[in-house]
Amino acid sequence: MTENSGGFHTIVCLKVVPRPEEVVVDPQTKTLDRAKARSLVNPPDLNALEMALELKEICGGSVSILSMGPPFFEPYLRLAMSLGADRAYLLSDRTFGGADTLATTYTLAKGIQKIGKWDLALCGEESSDGATAQVPPGLAEWLDAAQVTYAFQMAPADQGRMRVRREVKGGWEELMVSLPAVVSVKGNVNEPRFIDFDRRRWALNDSPVTVWSAADIGAQADLIGFPGSPTTVAGVRQVGGRERRKQFLEGTPEEIARELARLLKTQAGSR
Amino acid sequence: MADSLYGAEQARGVWVWLEHDGQALAGVSLELLAKGRELADKAGEPLTGFILGHEAGSLAEEALSRGVDEILLGDNPLLKNYTTDLYCAAAAEAVLKHKPNLLLLGATPDGRDLAGRLAVRLRTGLTADCTNMEMKPEDPSLLLSEVTGFGGGIAAIIACLRHRPQMATVRPGVFLAALSAKKSGAELRRFSPSLEGVPRRVEIVKRSIGAEVDITKSKFLVIGGRGIRGDFGLLRELAGLVGAEIGASRVAVDEGWIGKEHMVGQTGFVTRPKVALICGVSGALQFTVGVASAETVVAINLDRSAPIFESADYCVAQDLFKVLPPLIKELRNSK
Ligand SMILES: Cc1cc2nc3c(=O)[nH]c(=O)nc-3n(C[C@H](O)[C@H](O)[C@H](O)COP(=O)(O)OP(=O)(O)OC[C@H]3O[C@@H](n4cnc5c(N)ncnc54)[C@H](O)[C@@H]3O)c2cc1C
Ligand SMILES: Cc1cc2nc3c(=O)[nH]c(=O)nc-3n(C[C@H](O)[C@H](O)[C@H](O)COP(=O)(O)OP(=O)(O)OC[C@H]3O[C@@H](n4cnc5c(N)ncnc54)[C@H](O)[C@@H]3O)c2cc1C
């Protein structure tokens, strides 16, 4: 289960994100304090993993997990292996910190090149924290691979290609995609499977998680972390929405309904 | 720090990528032209609308009357529909030739697909989903982009200090499209991107584009969140009576109760209705930025202390399932 011994090889890029409702803002520094927030696997990444596992059932081969992040990500990678992935790679180094999407995609691409032969790299459509959706296209560019974003269906086709449907503005399109390709998968497109209890022991204790530093993947110091990131946070500010009336309507539901009906008709009257 | 392919001292001009479907320019592109005009004037630089396509001459003419200094049209049969490899190659060629200072794109599926790849090819910074943009007063060639998403009422100002072009995406509905007239001397320039040798790794075999739901254009929105417990039926009935569109919080979309095209907020759409009736939504900042420009906000929430009431003009601290049925009855009777 551990060796990448040929066959169709899918790499699933998985990010661990803080639970949105638990991230607090430090009132003094106005920066994010994620230390107190619990984490979870970015939800659409589990849809990407499910898609990879379904492809593995058809094409054979194996599924690897790749993540860039601090050491505490490791249990989440093991969770992915208890769902069916074969091995995981964690790119972890203090110098990766502060990466914007240019530095993040460079680092992930170096990780994929170090892993070696691959056919398909699957990502979630976007993360629930940074939420830029810039990682999949950027990764494809560094790897000089084909790219598809917002995919919701994928199946093997002729000549080693994939038939993929992606969402576009107001509809969808069907694509024939040459491999290798980086594909981002929409959230909720499938039902991620439950933990496989036969794999759980193996996944939690013995499954292979390879941790690589910047030196291990041969990353150039000026392309990773803060130095490799052209964007910077130049400041923060409190966003006050506009002042609203905040007037409570009191009474029985019927009384309120009558008042609301009147309000809605006058407010929207000139539509 | 590694450099972008050209530097700030060479960069000049505000560029907007004009997305289209062959028939019409995308709304978000027109919105960006209006904002782009403002930024270009502040920077003292020209505004260019950048179109890729095939036989898109009439779209280019239309864009020419939107206050630009110039339209740059890259025409090639291979660019008829959007595909990443070809569009990215054509865009990179034009950018490297003319070296704009800013490049703005709509945060649509294709806009994000292109921007994310192009930024890496140009080795420059890209800011996602800006909620506001201005040129720095003390240094008017530097773009300051505001992004939310940090929670707790905080917006971050993102800058790309040295790398050019300064790239940013903006969601539909964030800015207003101005009906600006044609600027005198506005010019249409054509170029033929050289696309030989560009790999065509992705081939479109089928497209299905339906009628688009566009909640950014509706005057009346009825919006549901987790509190509606999966039942948009009641809301649809109400919406039908007043000619409203349906909006939803991210939770309602993530739960699979309704499509993403209905999502209101930072990840969803920024809307500007006359009236927004919001049911069972707690009022997280990422949601409320999507209704900040509504003229009147009415919120129904069981919890009197829910933050949504801070963003509402009229507040109903009641069970929505008790209030909506009599409201529907009232509206039906008064029809
Ligand atoms: C509120 C906020 C706003 C930000 N805005 C910007 C911005 O405008 N521009 C910018 O350049 N950076 C921005 N960043 C930084 C950016 O979030 C980081 O660079 C991050 O490492 C990757 O971007 P993302 O989370 O947006 O990923 P996305 O592109 O949204 O993620 C898509 C998919 O890529 C994969 N992926 C992403 N990160 C990893 C990872 N670390 N390991 C493995 N797979 C991964 C996952 O499959 C994920 O589902 C922002 C960060 C925050 C918190
Ligand atoms: C980067 C990022 C981007 C995001 N973008 C968006 C976005 O674009 N749009 C968005 O909406 N969210 C977004 N979110 C998520 C946002 O933070 C909230 O989690 C989300 O808006 C909550 O949705 P909700 O209000 O429907 O659910 P909840 O927060 O669970 O609130 C449900 C509310 O319903 C009320 N309720 C329950 N039952 C009833 C009843 N019977 N009658 C009346 N009221 C009832 C409850 O009191 C509660 O206040 C984003 C988050 C992040 C981190």
Side-chain angles (χ1 to χ4, degrees):
Chain A
M1 223 166 333
T2 71
E3 280 311 299
N4 175 12
S5 50
F8 195 82
H9 184 203
T10 304
I11 298 173
V12 177
C13 298
L14 186 145
K15 187 179 185 187
V16 179
V17 294
R19 285 179 194 272
E21 62 276 19
E22 293 180 10
V23 176
V24 291
V25 175
D26 185 316
Q28 248 80 59
T29 62
K30 301 252 185 287
T31 52
L32 285 189
D33 182 0
R34 294 178 182 203
K36 296 186 189 74
R38 286 175 296 166
S39 300
L40 76 171
V41 174
N42 183 44
D45 301 4
L46 291 176
N47 297 107
L49 174 58
E50 177 60 29
M51 202 176 259
L53 295 174
E54 284 166 14
L55 278 175
K56 180 179 159 182
E57 284 159 9
I58 304 169
C59 308
S62 66
V63 174
S64 301
I65 302 291
L66 173 66
S67 191
M68 177 187 87
F72 83 80
F73 278 22
E74 186 175 322
Y76 298 89
L77 307 188
R78 293 194 184 278
L79 168 78
M81 287 190 280
S82 72
L83 295 175
D86 298 283
R87 63 189 85 79
Y89 301 89
L90 177 60
L91 310 179
S92 200
D93 196 309
R94 281 186 185 283
T95 59
F96 293 151
D100 72 2
T101 58
L102 185 64
T104 299
T105 52
Y106 169 76
T107 308
L108 290 173
K110 291 301 277 186
I112 289 179
Q113 283 162 347
K114 170 87 179 177
I115 292 172
K117 186 203 156 290
W118 62 285
D119 300 289
L120 195 59
L122 297 186
C123 296
E125 59 171 316
E126 66 181 45
S127 73
S128 65
D129 57 345
T132 64
Q134 287 167 194
V135 167
L139 186 57
E141 174 65 12
W142 285 109
L143 293 167
D144 191 15
Q147 154 188 344
V148 180
T149 48
Y150 307 107
F152 58 92
Q153 260 178 32
M154 176 151 51
D158 58 344
Q159 299 163 9
R161 296 187 296 178
M162 286 282 157
R163 184 184 295 275
V164 184
R165 282 197 182 176
R166 82 178 273 257
E167 184 184 276
V168 296
K169 207 162 149 289
W172 53 266
E173 61 190 14
E174 187 170 298
L175 310 167
M176 292 295 264
V177 182
S178 305
L179 302 182
V182 178
V183 177
S184 85
V185 177
K186 283 192 60 70
N188 293 318
V189 295
N190 51 32
E191 196 70 50
R193 63 196 60 193
F194 288 116
I195 291 175
D196 179 341
F197 284 96
D198 293 340
R199 296 177 72 91
R200 209 170 83 115
R201 266 186 75 97
W202 167 80
L204 292 184
N205 303 304
D206 310 321
S207 66
V209 176
T210 306
V211 181
W212 279 332
S213 67
D216 292 332
I217 57 173
Q220 227 176 286
D222 61 345
L223 292 176
I224 58 174
F226 268 119
S229 298
T231 61
T232 45
V233 177
V236 288
R237 83 183 180 80
Q238 198 82 30
V239 279
R242 67 191 245 189
E243 265 311 294
R244 295 283 181 187
R245 294 168 68 124
K246 301 178 205 165
Q247 182 186 337
F248 278 85
L249 308 181
E250 310 291 355
T252 67
E254 287 72 23
E255 286 161 359
I256 291 174
R258 212 166 303 135
E259 181 60 16
L260 276 182
R262 200 189 53 74
L263 260 171
L264 295 182
K265 275 184 291 183
T266 48
Q267 297 291 330
S270 53
R271 80 189 146 80
Chain B
M1 189 192 274
D3 287 323
S4 50
L5 303 187
Y6 59 93
E9 62 299 337
Q10 293 172 287
R12 193 175 138 78
V14 175
W15 278 28
V16 173
W17 180 56
L18 299 178
E19 187 176 353
H20 61 88
D21 58 5
Q23 313 293 316
L25 295 167
V28 67
S29 299
L30 302 179
E31 292 157 17
L32 282 175
L33 281 180
K35 187 67 185 182
R37 182 70 264 166
E38 189 189 312
L39 298 174
D41 289 344
K42 283 271 160 51
E45 296 180 10
L47 172 67
T48 300
F50 174 56
I51 309 188
L52 296 173
H54 182 49
E55 294 174 341
S58 60
L59 293 172
E61 288 293 342
E62 187 199 328
L64 206 54
S65 66
R66 290 283 181 160
V68 297
D69 294 287
E70 144 190 279
I71 293 291
L72 186 61
L73 170 62
D75 190 294
N76 188 303
L78 292 173
L79 298 175
K80 187 168 186 327
N81 287 312
Y82 175 83
T83 54
T84 312
D85 284 328
L86 293 161
Y87 267 62
C88 191
E93 181 185 326
V95 166
L96 290 175
K97 177 149 184 253
H98 299 281
K99 306 188 173 54
N101 184 25
L102 265 58
L103 175 54
L104 312 177
L105 303 92
T108 57
D110 288 349
R112 284 175 140 200
D113 188 274
L114 174 62
R117 186 150 193 156
L118 187 58
V120 170
R121 187 161 302 177
L122 299 170
R123 302 287 191 269
T124 193
L126 171 59
T127 308
D129 295 354
C130 305
T131 47
N132 204 356
M133 295 190 288
E134 61 170 4
M135 305 311 297
K136 188 176 183 183
E138 313 87 78
D139 176 6
S141 64
L142 187 70
L143 179 70
L144 299 179
S145 306
E146 183 184 293
V147 302
T148 53
F150 291 82
I154 302 293
I157 310 297
I158 310 274
C160 178
L161 297 175
R162 288 186 26 204
H163 297 65
R164 296 295 177 272
Q166 304 171 71
M167 290 180 64
T169 62
V170 176
R171 296 190 146 268
V174 173
F175 300 122
L176 286 175
L179 266 182
S180 53
K182 184 163 175 172
K183 214 170 168 244
S184 70
E187 248 187 295
L188 172 57
R189 290 209 280 165
R190 292 167 189 271
F191 80 107
S192 314
S194 48
L195 298 173
E196 306 85 50
V198 176
R200 273 179 263 162
R201 295 174 280 213
V202 173
E203 184 196 332
I204 301 174
V205 291
K206 207 188 278 177
R207 303 188 97 226
S208 163
I209 310 295
E212 216 181 315
V213 178
D214 185 357
I215 61 169
T216 69
K217 296 285 182 296
S218 47
K219 291 269 176 280
F220 197 154
L221 282 175
V222 177
I223 303 171
R226 195 201 301 273
I228 69 159
R229 291 191 231 129
D231 179 13
F232 270 95
L234 214 49
L235 272 67
R236 284 192 197 284
E237 196 178 342
L238 176 62
L241 288 169
V242 291
E245 289 267 18
I246 298 287
S249 76
R250 172 149 152 191
V251 166
V253 172
D254 285 351
E255 290 290 331
W257 299 341
I258 194 161
K260 194 174 175 179
E261 62 280 11
H262 294 276
M263 196 199 298
V264 173
Q266 175 192 325
T267 314
F269 293 99
V270 174
T271 64
R272 319 172 163 273
K274 282 176 100 70
V275 183
L277 173 62
I278 303 173
C279 309
V281 174
S282 59
L285 178 73
Q286 295 95 352
F287 172 84
T288 55
V289 294
V291 287
S293 301
E295 256 171 53
T296 304
V297 173
V298 183
I300 307 177
N301 193 306
L302 260 182
D303 175 5
R304 191 170 276 267
S305 62
I308 190 67
F309 290 137
E310 293 297 311
S311 306
D313 296 293
Y314 300 100
C315 311
V316 178
Q318 292 264 358
D319 185 344
L320 70 95
F321 293 102
K322 294 220 170 79
V323 176
L324 291 188
L327 176 57
I328 288 170
K329 211 164 118 200
E330 282 289 331
L331 291 169
R332 183 163 286 137
N333 290 343
S334 64
K335 266 234 132 162

